[in-house]
């Protein structure tokens, strides 16, 4: 397969999404996975961002069709957000598992994962997923 046939993680549908927006969608997916929604203040706490900034970003993500911003600060992911959020969480977990397998210092694993996850291609992610699955099986 030629290099041109591979697409980056953010190809087509999600091409304009910034790393910060990815962090938001990943966190919204993470929190709302269980009960279907998340509130502005929870997101603000979990991301260590001011509620006013969270509101601004949530409005932007609503314009992009990832979520619905409802009354009383309730955020619900649209199908597009659910699908992307799931991929983002899987990507995060794959990178985190890789760093753990490599015995990266536990204190640094989360921050290192946050840096790496936004920059890898889908092709590299596939390789990491396969490697991690094989390692975890052993
Ligand atoms: Mn992450």
């Amino acid at each position: 397969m030629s290099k041109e046939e591979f697409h980056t993680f953010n190809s087509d549908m999600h091409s304009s999404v910034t790393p910060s927006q990815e962090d938001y969608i990943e966190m919204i997916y993470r929190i709302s996975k269980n009960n279907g929604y998340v509130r502005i203040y929870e997101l603000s706490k979990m991301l260590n961002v001011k509620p006013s900034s969270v509101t601004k970003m949530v409005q932007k993500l609503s314009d992009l069709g990832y979520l619905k911003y409802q009354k009383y600060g309730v955020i619900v992911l649209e199908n597009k957000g659910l699908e992307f959020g799931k991929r983002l969480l899987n990507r995060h977990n794959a990178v985190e598992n890789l760093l753990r397998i490599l015995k990266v210092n536990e204190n640094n694993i989360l921050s290192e994962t946050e840096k790496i996850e936004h920059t890898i291609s889908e092709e590299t992610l596939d390789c990491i997923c396969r490697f991690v699955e094989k390692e975890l099986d052993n």
Side-chain angles (χ1 to χ4, degrees), residues 13 65-67 76-85:
M13 198 173 172
Y66 285 102
L67 52 83
V76 177
L77 286 174
E78 299 277 17
N79 283 336
K80 182 181 169 185
L82 279 172
E83 180 263 341
F84 195 40

Side-chain angles (χ1 to χ4, degrees), residues 26 92 114 117:
E26 184 189 317
H92 178 105
E114 292 301 332
E117 61 181 354

Side-chain angles (χ1 to χ4, degrees), residues 46-58:
M46 296 293 285
L47 291 166
N48 294 300
V49 178
K50 285 182 301 178
S52 59
S53 307
V54 173
T55 302
K56 229 186 256 172
M57 177 62 99
V58 162

